[in-house]
Amino acid sequence: MREFAFVRATSVADALTAIGSADTMCIAGGVELLNLMREGICAPGTLVDLSGITELSQVSMTGSALVIGALARISDVAADADVVHECPAIAQALEQIGSPQIRNAGTVGGNLLQRTRCAYFRNGTIDVPCNKRTPGSGCAALLAGATRAFALFGRSSRCIATHPSDLAVALAALDAQIVVRGPGGERVLAAQDFLRTPGTTPQRDHNMKANELLVRIIVPRGALARQSVYLKVRDRAAYQSALVSVAAAVTLQGKTIKRAAIALGGVAHRPWRLASVEAAIQGKRHDKPEFHDALVTAMLAIPPKSADATKRAIAMRAVERALREAVAL
Ligand SMILES: Cc1cc2nc3c(=O)[nH]c(=O)nc-3n(C[C@H](O)[C@H](O)[C@H](O)COP(=O)(O)OP(=O)(O)OC[C@H]3O[C@@H](n4cnc5c(N)ncnc54)[C@H](O)[C@@H]3O)c2cc1C
């Protein structure tokens, strides 16, 4: 590992001054970054430690929103009574991340900014092509052929990796906003547009600039967020990324779905909002066959139809199960 300088920031202003150079990266819990450095994926000359910026580690509630500081620890946010009550999908997504140690050390900001767990990206050597690691080198995953580990949606001819953040999926379903701050002030990004599909620049994971800090997450409060669930499907019950995950939220009038919000995880390099499915089940009674029929028809119509069939089938069943859990809350 390359030697690096270490700078402790105690305020956002401190950190913004320190991250000005291209050779500098910030470190929060270090759960992700130290792995990336060990794996040779990045080698910053200076690390700016954000962990002393206490103003970014709080969870608070306003009349209209839940506000989560970027440096809040995953385990603290998962256990926060307001988060559990106001946005159960977020608490459920967070409590299924990695292991207790990872949740105790990792921050919510670091979770959104983690990189893909694609084996070719993580364990690649210079002989294994990966356009995310070395732009222009190729994509070993594409050469190997699509499997259920890779993206169903938003793939490109350069990359088919998925993004592993559970939190990002819950935030996308709940129309959350991500606030970033740079030298010119703050910008607000919709959570569902924060992460990027690969396109021709798979090396870029998100829409934040290098000289910006992620400062907080804003989640609108309301009936939709309160009636939300997060379902994670994976090969073992703990310490594993989602094969497919679903954040689903509803509002009801009696047994009729007034509004639904659904985001899929594990199927793209960003949370995949299912707007057509949301529209198809709106106005349907969830206790009648019309609900299942509308859901299945809308899911089957989502293009492309060629990617891994098993994964699509799992996604379809997971969406229905998550919705049934949400309406039962
Ligand atoms: C074995 C393992 C299993 C895991 N399983 C899951 C899982 O099941 N589901 C899931 O969602 N995640 C999972 N994770 C990811 C884990 O949640 C993240 O690694 C962790 O949250 C990162 O947070 P951190 O504070 O340690 O970030 P760091 O490692 O400190 O930083 C990560 C990246 O974010 C940048 N960064 C951090 N904070 C900021 C900020 N405020 N502003 C700008 N840049 C910032 C850093 O520069 C770095 O590039 C797993 C990780 C591991 C190692």
Side-chain angles (χ1 to χ4, degrees), residues 26 28-33 98 102 107 110-111 113-114 164 166 214 232:
C26 44
V31 175
E32 168 78 341
L33 187 62
I102 287 164
T107 62
N111 177 271
L113 293 166
Q114 67 180 298
D166 289 302
L214 201 164
K232 184 169 177 178

Side-chain angles (χ1 to χ4, degrees), residues 160-186:
I160 56 172
T162 59
H163 195 278
S165 170
D166 289 302
L167 174 62
V169 181
L171 296 179
L174 300 184
D175 292 324
Q177 295 176 318
I178 312 281
V179 184
V180 301
R181 196 182 307 171
E186 289 192 349

Side-chain angles (χ1 to χ4, degrees), residues 25-36 50 56 70-71 73-74 93 96-99 102 105-115 117 164-167 208 212-215 232 234 239-242:
M25 289 186 79
C26 44
I27 180 164
V31 175
E32 168 78 341
L33 187 62
L34 296 179
N35 279 337
L36 295 178
L50 306 180
L56 299 186
L71 296 172
R73 302 283 166 181
I74 293 169
Q96 295 183 73
I97 287 173
S99 64
I102 287 164
T107 62
V108 292
N111 177 271
L112 295 176
L113 293 166
Q114 67 180 298
R115 306 208 66 191
R117 305 211 85 77
S165 170
D166 289 302
L167 174 62
M208 207 172 85
E212 289 179 324
L213 281 181
L214 201 164
V215 288
K232 184 169 177 178
R234 47 189 165 169
Y239 204 54
Q240 192 160 49
S241 303

Side-chain angles (χ1 to χ4, degrees), residues 291-309:
F291 168 75
H292 171 82
D293 295 346
L295 181 69
V296 170
T297 306
M299 288 287 298
L300 288 175
I302 299 173
K305 299 185 180 169
S306 53
D308 190 81

